[in-house]
Amino acid sequence: PHVTHSQASSVLALLLLLEGGMFSASRPAELLEKVFQHIHDHQDEFVQTLKEWVAIESDSVQPLPRFRQELFRMMALAADKLRRLGASVDSVDLGSQQLPDGQSLPIPPIILAELGNDPKKATVCFYGHLDVQPAAREDGWLTDPYTLTEVDGKLYGRGATDNKGPVLAWINAVSTFQALEQDLPVNVKFILEGMEEAGSIALEELVEKEKNRFFSNVDYVVISDNLWLSRKKPALTYGTRGNSYFMVEVKCRDQDFHSGTFGGILNEPMADLVALLGSLVDASGRILIPGIYDHVAPLTEKEKNMYKSIDLDVEEYKNSSQVKKFLFDTKEEILMHLWRYPSLSIHGIEGAFDGSGAKTVIPGRVVGKFSIRLVPHMNMSVVEKQVKRHLEDVFSKRNSSNEMAVSMVLGLYPWIANINDSQYLAARRAIRTVFGTEPDMIRDGSTIPIARLFREIICKSVMMLPLGAVDDGEHSQKEKINRWNYIEGSKLFAAYFLEIAKLH
Amino acid sequence: PHVTHSQASSVLALLLLLEGGMFSASRPAELLEKVFQHIHDHQDEFVQTLKEWVAIESDSVQPLPRFRQELFRMMALAADKLRRLGASVDSVDLGSQQLPDGQSLPIPPIILAELGNDPKKATVCFYGHLDVQPAAREDGWLTDPYTLTEVDGKLYGRGATDNKGPVLAWINAVSTFQALEQDLPVNVKFILEGMEEAGSIALEELVEKEKNRFFSNVDYVVISDNLWLSRKKPALTYGTRGNSYFMVEVKCRDQDFHSGTFGGILNEPMADLVALLGSLVDASGRILIPGIYDHVAPLTEKEKNMYKSIDLDVEEYKNSSQVKKFLFDTKEEILMHLWRYPSLSIHGIEGAFDGSGAKTVIPGRVVGKFSIRLVPHMNMSVVEKQVKRHLEDVFSKRNSSNEMAVSMVLGLYPWIANINDSQYLAARRAIRTVFGTEPDMIRDGSTIPIARLFREIICKSVMMLPLGAVDDGEHSQKEKINRWNYIEGSKLFAAYFLEIAKLH
């Protein structure tokens, strides 16, 4: 029978899996062993470097000059580290940012770095960020957030897992080949930013600008900015949901009314708005907007089976989420409704009484806010039309004398990768090598625009390869990365380089 | 046939109306003419006194020591004025008030004053307040709010109509009898407070305490703290709506969720809450809570007719309210739905996202707030049960795993007076005398607890007799009282004294 290219590569992948997922050549196997041993032996140095990086308060969220200084110091430290590896480093000046209060703050540079440009090798590009969420001891940290502190193998500190640890794991992998005086199996590029937690200001423009220069010879992009689904089982992420954010305004007049002097004779905007918001989703979580599910990718048997092997303890998940009951009871249904089905959440209302106490106001103008997490293959403009038509329909049936206006204020597409793409297969083999197990093939229910941004602009294979465990507490007052994850993660990147090299 | 007492007094009232509403004795008629002339001739002095009172920034809303000093100065000035009329004045010390921030502020005294205690005369007690809402030139006032400024017969200034003008009108009436060396036709009492705009702190306790002393011989209570329904036609107010304020909490957990990582698998509290709030009232303003209309007083033909003669231009009302369309088209329906039917208003939600912008949060715990304006003869505890049962019913049908809790946090009964009560009939006659027209018999859709408080505690006839025109702009940046209303109002109180005297 005729064998297609993709069937052939599946067969190849299968054969490789059958032999334990490792490359068969004896030299690479020996090299890998040496690499692993080196990383193992130098782990304290690697932890020490992470400690130095965590010590920098590179907070991009609080717009204060002293944090910006720290961000510049952080980017300079990373540039220096890369230069010492022999990379050519370009710290791209991004000018400054005008804040709503009129203040102007400098934007930390984005680092574009490259190490090796052998046309016979594959070129992998790693995206990471070195800025962090705010953290202060008094927020409830048990240890100083900017002093990496090890407790029972857990390295607590702001940025430890998000995203300084993974950036250093990648650097550790590169530096290990150099320390062992081994040729790097791949050309390596870095794009490191310092404004991710503040919305990746200036990133998209730069990627667009560098599309035909810095990114022109990139074959694969790796992002390591999310977490496993489990504490122990590694994962590979192949999709994120998109988001379309809507605002629906109902207005009688700009000023509020007193409910004593007007209650009973008005079409009250809040009554209209709760009716509109109440028409969006039913008690079972199903979105009631006609046609909204029409383009959702049908569930295949193959996909369904993939969910079965994923490591998720529903009871533990419920407990750690402090949720009494989810809408679904099985692991498979829960994950599918987080990853591959759309969801609609009502976020709140602007313009109504939101304080404590008992104010007797009839709000004159209110804005309801809700968003729909989009999945393949929903079409943004179709969704926008469906939402608007539905709300106009519900509103017109009320025969209200108020004015209604619906707008989609944000639209971010979902991202999905082909899990049979050669980079994914290489990563799976690397994971088997390091962890001795197949990864959970996971998605992320939230919207991470970066993967889609790289995919859309530079049109190369993009993969999210997380290192941290599910309980790493990104953004929380107990952020940590396990020493084990950090060190095994460094090995994983080294193994991934060798797997990628074998593809070329 | 047997004639009851109330039938007899109706007949008497009718006879009095037929003769033009004026007392027939010649001496009182002459006296009244002199009184009116005196008030007319001394109007500039009366305006000057109002100017002095308005000049005091007796703001009870902003809890600042300097405003409290002004309030004490205001109460002392009023006490002095009453003493100079010959009244015995008791400035009741009310101690101090602990603010939420720990600050302690002194409460201005309540003045209890009496002038005359002839057991053969009726005793009328006037309630008024001398504190005002905040005002500052920069809020948008065209004139300095604390400098009474006359423009085209309108006296602009904070407190001019609410409530310093009406208090002085009453004092003007009393002082005119004295200036003319005429015996006061009635014994007069005053209860003047300085904390009305801040919720009448300590008033109820004092009235309760003085029930069998100061208030023991009071026959009639007059309040003049609201407005006419018209610019030109006087009004007499015989009812106010009550209010029952509800909070309904829906909780999944205390913390919020991220809509990316939890959207799709939760019973979201906001979805439950909008369904609950959406079940309360329909698009026509009708309350959907079963049984809620059961105890509403049926509309009689007589009552219906009363609405016909009321002076309300619906078009002008719509324009001045900046409302495109009311739920009802006729004057009668509008007024009935403001005054004699209950209404339900949704005020807002606490705990949801209420800022501007697009936050993708799933609120973990939200509190919806709504209130029902109560009318005779709704029963507070029945309403409370009906609301709770209804919400529990709607919630249980959703089968949500969240927790719901409903509480009634405030319950104020409506107030209604018997418009055939002798004090009302006397006031109507006085109005005809001064204005040459029957008053609009009006209610107030909002909740003014004072009338009900006096009625409940001292069990005497309570009447609300407004002096100000509908466009006086209480609480607004263009508060004023018309010179005409202030002066004719002073005459009205004098005529009212004489009408009351005739009842005894």
Side-chain angles (χ1 to χ4, degrees):
Chain A
H2 177 72
V3 176
T4 65
H5 174 72
S6 80
Q7 280 172 324
S9 55
S10 293
V11 168
L12 180 65
L14 193 64
L15 287 171
L16 288 165
L17 284 172
L18 286 175
E19 56 172 357
M22 281 194 55
F23 36 86
S24 49
S26 72
R27 201 189 89 56
E30 279 165 30
L31 172 57
L32 195 63
E33 207 169 298
K34 276 206 250 175
V35 164
F36 284 8
Q37 191 62 48
H38 179 91
I39 291 173
H40 177 81
D41 293 345
H42 292 78
Q43 58 178 282
D44 286 344
E45 287 164 38
F46 296 150
V47 170
Q48 181 56 32
T49 309
L50 180 56
K51 186 167 187 160
E52 287 160 20
W53 283 28
V54 165
I56 300 178
E57 302 188 28
S58 53
D59 173 346
S60 64
V61 176
Q62 298 181 76
L64 299 175
R66 79 173 179 94
F67 290 125
R68 287 301 158 101
Q69 276 177 22
E70 288 287 274
L71 276 162
F72 274 79
R73 196 155 75 84
M74 182 70 242
M75 301 317 288
L77 187 68
D80 185 57
K81 177 95 184 164
L82 294 174
R83 273 190 205 100
R84 280 191 281 121
L85 288 180
S88 66
V89 179
D90 188 5
S91 281
V92 184
D93 178 18
L94 300 165
S96 59
Q97 174 193 16
Q98 201 75 24
L99 298 180
D101 66 0
Q103 197 192 167
S104 171
L105 283 178
I107 302 174
I110 288 178
I111 292 174
L112 298 176
E114 60 180 298
L115 193 59
N117 58 358
D118 185 341
K120 293 192 295 294
K121 293 179 186 169
T123 300
V124 294
C125 179
F126 182 83
Y127 161 86
H129 68 89
L130 299 173
D131 59 316
V132 297
Q133 283 280 320
R137 185 76 187 246
E138 54 273 24
D139 294 343
W141 284 78
L142 295 175
T143 57
D144 177 55
Y146 292 108
T147 305
L148 192 75
T149 307
E150 185 162 6
V151 180
D152 295 335
K154 298 179 176 85
L155 303 166
Y156 289 95
R158 175 57 86 224
T161 199
D162 180 18
N163 185 229
K164 291 174 177 176
V167 172
L168 276 172
W170 187 271
I171 291 174
N172 298 340
V174 172
S175 71
T176 295
F177 284 96
Q178 296 187 328
L180 295 172
E181 296 182 336
Q182 295 291 330
D183 192 31
L184 256 182
V186 286
N187 301 317
V188 177
K189 292 199 169 193
F190 294 86
I191 174 165
L192 303 178
E193 68 160 322
M195 290 297 280
E196 195 271 346
E197 304 292 0
S200 291
I201 291 171
L203 178 70
E204 184 169 353
E205 293 76 0
L206 184 70
V207 175
E208 187 66 64
K209 197 178 143 208
E210 294 288 338
K211 177 179 163 177
N212 297 316
R213 203 190 63 88
F214 182 79
F215 293 105
S216 64
N217 62 339
V218 167
D219 298 300
Y220 308 103
V221 177
V222 179
I223 299 166
S224 185
D225 193 22
N226 64 325
L227 300 175
W228 297 349
L229 197 64
S230 148
R231 288 192 189 177
K232 284 287 165 190
K233 195 173 167 206
L236 203 43
T237 305
Y238 65 98
T240 58
R241 289 194 292 188
N243 199 12
S244 53
Y245 201 106
F246 290 89
M247 297 199 186
V248 48
E249 176 188 282
V250 181
K251 178 177 155 178
C252 179
R253 69 174 192 192
D254 282 317
Q255 300 94 313
D256 292 342
F257 299 88
H258 187 282
S259 70
T261 44
F262 282 94
I265 61 166
L266 291 182
N267 272 124
E268 301 191 7
M270 274 296 277
D272 285 341
L273 186 60
V274 296
L276 291 165
L277 297 177
S279 75
L280 296 170
V281 61
D282 72 13
S284 73
R286 190 163 175 88
I287 305 173
L288 300 172
I289 297 160
I292 202 86
Y293 290 98
D294 287 357
H295 296 95
V296 172
L299 180 67
T300 63
E301 269 309 304
K302 209 169 155 187
E303 190 191 345
K304 207 168 160 184
N305 286 330
M306 212 162 65
Y307 282 87
K308 287 190 187 154
S309 60
I310 291 175
D311 183 25
L312 181 77
D313 181 326
V314 173
E315 276 308 305
E316 195 189 305
Y317 186 39
K318 264 195 322 206
N319 292 339
S320 69
S321 309
Q322 298 169 267
V323 171
K324 231 166 43 183
K325 198 175 178 319
F326 290 125
L327 287 172
F328 307 96
D329 295 323
T330 69
K331 173 179 77 181
E332 290 83 352
E333 280 175 304
I334 287 171
L335 293 177
M336 285 184 210
H337 282 89
L338 284 175
W339 296 345
R340 60 115 46 238
Y341 289 120
S343 64
L344 188 151
S345 296
I346 302 166
H347 308 299
I349 295 171
E350 186 183 347
F353 172 54
D354 51 48
S356 59
K359 191 176 172 187
T360 52
V361 68
I362 299 174
R365 175 187 163 273
V366 285
V367 183
K369 303 184 178 184
F370 63 94
S371 68
I372 302 174
R373 294 281 163 179
L374 303 174
V375 295
H377 308 291
M378 293 169 87
N379 179 302
M380 190 86 67
S381 64
V382 170
V383 167
E384 185 178 5
K385 271 189 212 107
Q386 288 167 335
V387 169
K388 287 185 174 175
R389 195 184 308 129
H390 171 71
L391 288 176
E392 277 155 15
D393 201 38
V394 172
F395 189 69
S396 78
K397 281 188 187 127
R398 289 182 65 79
N399 211 7
S400 166
S401 55
N402 295 322
E403 282 159 30
M404 186 194 69
V406 187
S407 54
M408 191 176 87
V409 296
L410 188 83
L412 296 165
Y413 267 97
W415 165 72
I416 189 138
N418 173 7
I419 58 168
N420 296 315
D421 164 303
S422 54
Q423 135 151 284
Y424 271 85
L425 296 174
R428 285 172 81 155
R429 289 192 296 272
I431 288 169
R432 277 191 62 108
T433 303
V434 176
F435 296 99
T437 179
E438 277 290 314
D440 284 334
M441 294 303 292
I442 68 174
R443 301 201 204 178
D444 199 306
S446 56
T447 307
I448 304 171
I450 292 157
R452 176 146 185 123
L453 182 152
F454 285 114
R455 175 72 203 165
E456 288 290 293
I457 300 178
I458 69 175
C459 302
K460 292 292 161 61
S461 167
V462 178
M463 178 175 72
M464 288 175 65
L465 178 52
L467 303 187
V470 68
D471 61 349
D472 273 3
E474 290 167 302
H475 298 200
S476 84
Q477 293 92 320
K478 45 185 185 189
E479 179 175 350
K480 56 94 179 161
I481 191 166
N482 300 325
R483 175 185 277 257
W484 182 75
N485 288 64
Y486 177 51
I487 298 305
E488 297 308 294
S490 301
K491 293 179 190 171
L492 175 59
F493 286 146
Y496 165 78
F497 293 162
L498 288 164
E499 287 292 344
I500 287 291
K502 286 171 53 189
L503 297 174
H504 284 251
Chain B
H2 176 73
V3 177
T4 64
H5 175 72
S6 80
Q7 280 171 323
S9 56
S10 294
V11 169
L12 181 65
L14 193 65
L15 288 172
L16 289 165
L17 285 172
L18 288 174
E19 57 171 356
M22 278 194 57
F23 37 88
S24 49
S26 72
R27 200 188 89 58
E30 280 163 29
L31 172 57
L32 194 65
E33 208 169 296
K34 277 206 254 176
V35 164
F36 284 7
Q37 192 62 47
H38 179 91
I39 292 172
H40 178 80
D41 293 344
H42 292 78
Q43 58 177 280
D44 286 344
E45 286 163 40
F46 295 150
V47 169
Q48 180 56 32
T49 307
L50 180 57
K51 186 167 187 163
E52 286 160 23
W53 282 29
V54 164
I56 300 179
E57 302 189 27
S58 52
D59 172 346
S60 64
V61 176
Q62 299 182 74
L64 298 175
R66 80 174 178 94
F67 289 125
R68 286 302 158 99
Q69 275 176 22
E70 289 286 273
L71 276 162
F72 274 80
R73 196 155 75 84
M74 183 69 241
M75 300 316 287
L77 187 68
D80 185 56
K81 176 97 183 162
L82 294 174
R83 271 190 206 100
R84 280 192 281 120
L85 288 181
S88 66
V89 179
D90 187 6
S91 281
V92 184
D93 178 19
L94 299 165
S96 61
Q97 173 192 20
Q98 200 76 22
L99 297 178
D101 67 1
Q103 198 192 165
S104 173
L105 282 178
I107 303 174
I110 289 178
I111 291 174
L112 298 177
E114 60 180 298
L115 192 59
N117 57 359
D118 184 341
K120 292 190 297 292
K121 293 180 187 169
T123 301
V124 295
C125 179
F126 182 84
Y127 161 88
H129 68 88
L130 299 174
D131 59 317
V132 298
Q133 283 279 322
R137 184 76 188 247
E138 55 271 26
D139 294 342
W141 283 78
L142 295 176
T143 57
D144 177 54
Y146 294 108
T147 304
L148 192 76
T149 307
E150 186 162 6
V151 181
D152 294 336
K154 298 180 177 85
L155 304 165
Y156 289 95
R158 175 57 85 224
T161 198
D162 182 17
N163 185 226
K164 291 175 178 177
V167 172
L168 276 172
W170 187 271
I171 291 174
N172 298 340
V174 172
S175 70
T176 296
F177 283 95
Q178 295 186 330
L180 296 172
E181 296 183 336
Q182 295 292 330
D183 192 31
L184 256 181
V186 287
N187 301 316
V188 177
K189 292 198 169 193
F190 293 86
I191 173 166
L192 303 177
E193 67 159 324
M195 290 297 281
E196 197 270 348
E197 304 292 0
S200 292
I201 292 171
L203 179 69
E204 184 169 352
E205 293 75 0
L206 184 71
V207 174
E208 187 67 64
K209 198 178 142 206
E210 294 288 338
K211 177 179 162 177
N212 297 317
R213 204 189 63 86
F214 182 78
F215 294 105
S216 64
N217 62 338
V218 167
D219 298 301
Y220 307 105
V221 177
V222 178
I223 300 166
S224 184
D225 194 21
N226 65 325
L227 301 174
W228 297 349
L229 196 66
S230 150
R231 288 191 189 177
K232 283 287 167 192
K233 192 172 167 208
L236 202 43
T237 304
Y238 65 98
T240 59
R241 287 195 292 188
N243 199 11
S244 54
Y245 201 106
F246 290 88
M247 297 200 183
V248 48
E249 176 188 282
V250 181
K251 178 178 157 179
C252 179
R253 69 174 191 190
D254 282 318
Q255 300 95 314
D256 291 342
F257 299 88
H258 187 281
S259 70
T261 44
F262 282 95
I265 62 166
L266 292 183
N267 272 123
E268 301 190 7
M270 273 297 277
D272 285 341
L273 185 59
V274 296
L276 291 165
L277 296 177
S279 75
L280 295 171
V281 62
D282 72 14
S284 73
R286 191 165 174 85
I287 305 175
L288 300 172
I289 298 160
I292 201 86
Y293 291 98
D294 287 356
H295 296 94
V296 173
L299 179 67
T300 62
E301 270 309 305
K302 208 168 154 187
E303 189 190 345
K304 210 168 159 184
N305 286 331
M306 212 160 66
Y307 282 87
K308 288 188 187 154
S309 61
I310 291 176
D311 182 25
L312 181 77
D313 180 326
V314 173
E315 276 309 305
E316 194 190 305
Y317 185 39
K318 263 195 322 207
N319 292 339
S320 69
S321 309
Q322 297 169 267
V323 171
K324 231 167 41 184
K325 198 176 176 320
F326 290 126
L327 287 173
F328 307 96
D329 296 323
T330 68
K331 173 179 77 180
E332 290 83 352
E333 281 175 304
I334 288 171
L335 293 177
M336 284 183 212
H337 282 90
L338 284 175
W339 295 346
R340 60 114 47 240
Y341 289 121
S343 65
L344 188 149
S345 295
I346 301 167
H347 308 299
I349 295 173
E350 185 183 348
F353 172 53
D354 50 50
S356 59
K359 190 175 173 188
T360 53
V361 68
I362 299 175
R365 176 186 161 275
V366 285
V367 183
K369 303 184 179 184
F370 63 93
S371 68
I372 302 174
R373 295 280 163 178
L374 303 174
V375 295
H377 308 289
M378 293 171 85
N379 178 303
M380 190 86 69
S381 64
V382 170
V383 167
E384 184 178 6
K385 273 189 210 108
Q386 286 167 336
V387 169
K388 287 185 173 174
R389 195 183 308 128
H390 171 71
L391 289 176
E392 277 154 16
D393 200 39
V394 172
F395 189 69
S396 78
K397 281 189 186 125
R398 288 182 66 79
N399 212 8
S400 165
S401 55
N402 295 323
E403 283 159 31
M404 184 195 70
V406 187
S407 54
M408 189 176 88
V409 297
L410 188 82
L412 295 165
Y413 267 96
W415 165 73
I416 189 139
N418 174 10
I419 58 167
N420 295 316
D421 163 307
S422 54
Q423 134 151 285
Y424 271 84
L425 297 175
R428 286 172 82 157
R429 288 191 297 270
I431 288 169
R432 277 189 63 107
T433 301
V434 175
F435 296 98
T437 178
E438 276 291 312
D440 283 336
M441 294 304 292
I442 69 174
R443 301 201 203 177
D444 198 307
S446 57
T447 307
I448 304 170
I450 291 158
R452 177 148 183 119
L453 182 152
F454 285 115
R455 175 73 202 161
E456 288 291 294
I457 300 178
I458 68 175
C459 303
K460 292 293 161 58
S461 168
V462 178
M463 178 176 73
M464 288 175 66
L465 178 53
L467 303 188
V470 68
D471 61 349
D472 273 3
E474 292 167 300
H475 298 201
S476 85
Q477 293 94 319
K478 45 185 184 188
E479 181 176 348
K480 57 94 180 160
I481 192 166
N482 299 325
R483 177 185 275 259
W484 182 74
N485 288 64
Y486 177 50
I487 298 305
E488 297 308 293
S490 301
K491 293 180 190 170
L492 175 59
F493 285 147
Y496 165 77
F497 294 162
L498 288 164
E499 287 293 343
I500 288 291
K502 285 171 53 193
L503 297 173
H504 285 251

